[in-house]
Amino acid sequence: ETGVTQTPRHLVMGMTNKKSLKCEQHLGHNAMYWYKQSAKKPLELMFVYSLEERVENNSVPSRFSPECPNSSHLFLHLHTLQPEDSALYLCASSRAGLGPSGANVLTFGAGSRLTVL
Amino acid sequence: DQQVKQNSPSLSVQEGRISILNCDYTNSMFDYFLWYKKYPAEGPTFLISISSIKDKNEDGRFTVFLNKSAKHLSLHIVPSQPGDSAVYFCAASARTGGSYIPTFGRGTSLIVHP
């Protein structure tokens, strides 16, 4: 399988549940990202793992916890979410360390649509 | 505060005519700019980019123009086709530590009518 694969594509969870989103890339990239897309809002960067460095958006609540066990896999662990966390969560990957022209071209997965009841 | 702004949430164009999508940014440290296109139920896909050392980049029907003094860029699609109907995201990046991390706008939904 090629490209960036996200599972599950759709997830409905209660506020007390614990779930995880999974992302896998087969492109040989060495940077992976989580973005959140809410209606009528910009794509919001949540976390980046790039060249063994982690960058995070300080506004992301601690109920979202990323994990990147290797350069091909990325997880977003979810616990005690709120209804306002319902959104499309997009994973992306890129080649880091090549300067702006390589690092900026992100390949996105199709997203995981999360609904929090 | 948004650093990348796409002030038009939607744009409707007739097939064959030009589509112009606009984007403004506030961070003068941004040095690389990109456009992504997103169809429903798919992730965004890279379309075209431009470095801050250039003012124009062209790829087939797609041209991106950069006006650094105005902190403004635009995407021109000529001629527009119904298959171009999608949401277009503008993105800009500056080096953060050892990484270039794009900041995205909220997107403009383009509809091209046959």
Side-chain angles (χ1 to χ4, degrees):
Chain A
E1 190 169 355
T2 60
V4 179
T5 303
Q6 291 187 242
T7 54
R9 291 294 308 276
H10 299 273
L11 177 63
V12 179
M13 60 186 289
M15 290 190 286
T16 58
N17 291 161
K18 289 184 180 181
K19 297 285 184 182
S20 296
L21 305 181
K22 179 182 176 182
C23 178
E24 188 172 356
Q25 61 96 2
H26 301 274
L27 300 166
H29 289 167
N30 54 1
M32 296 189 78
Y33 310 72
W34 280 116
Y35 280 89
K36 175 184 177 182
Q37 186 186 11
S38 303
K40 300 182 181 179
K41 289 186 177 181
L43 281 171
E44 178 188 358
L45 177 71
M46 301 179 74
F47 304 100
V48 182
Y49 284 85
S50 176
L51 298 174
E52 299 182 7
E53 172 189 48
R54 173 173 146 178
V55 176
E56 57 187 87
N57 181 341
N58 292 328
S59 68
V60 175
S62 59
R63 55 187 183 267
F64 294 91
S65 175
E67 179 188 0
C68 190
N70 54 61
S71 60
S72 298
H73 295 86
L74 183 66
F75 295 89
L76 187 63
H77 302 300
L78 318 168
H79 61 98
T80 60
L81 294 191
Q82 303 298 311
E84 60 263 30
D85 296 323
S86 299
L88 181 68
Y89 289 84
L90 290 161
C91 173
S93 67
S94 73
R95 286 181 178 273
L98 294 182
S101 63
N104 282 276
V105 180
L106 273 58
T107 300
F108 283 88
S112 293
R113 172 70 62 185
L114 173 65
T115 303
V116 182
L117 302 177
Chain B
D1 190 27
Q2 288 182 61
Q3 298 187 64
V4 178
K5 300 177 184 179
Q6 294 179 257
N7 292 319
S8 298
S10 64
L11 175 67
S12 182
V13 172
Q14 199 72 28
E15 181 179 7
R17 307 293 288 268
I18 184 171
S19 295
I20 300 176
L21 297 99
N22 293 303
C23 179
D24 297 289
Y25 61 95
T26 57
N27 187 345
S28 59
M29 298 300 293
F30 286 145
D31 59 2
Y32 205 80
F33 305 89
L34 310 93
W35 287 93
Y36 286 79
K37 173 173 150 180
K38 184 181 185 299
Y39 292 117
E42 296 182 14
T45 56
F46 169 72
L47 186 59
I48 191 169
S49 64
I50 188 166
S51 165
S52 60
I53 62 173
K54 295 185 176 181
D55 56 15
K56 176 183 175 181
N57 188 27
E58 187 173 355
D59 183 3
R61 297 185 297 113
F62 303 90
T63 303
V64 56
F65 295 91
L66 176 63
N67 182 335
K68 282 188 295 182
S69 60
K71 293 190 176 68
H72 176 84
L73 66 156
S74 61
L75 174 68
H76 293 212
I77 307 173
V78 181
S80 301
Q81 299 174 355
D84 296 328
S85 298
V87 177
Y88 289 79
F89 290 97
C90 172
S93 68
R95 189 166 185 142
T96 305
S99 305
Y100 290 89
I101 302 173
T103 299
F104 286 82
R106 63 178 63 192
T108 297
S109 178
L110 172 66
I111 300 171
V112 180
H113 297 283

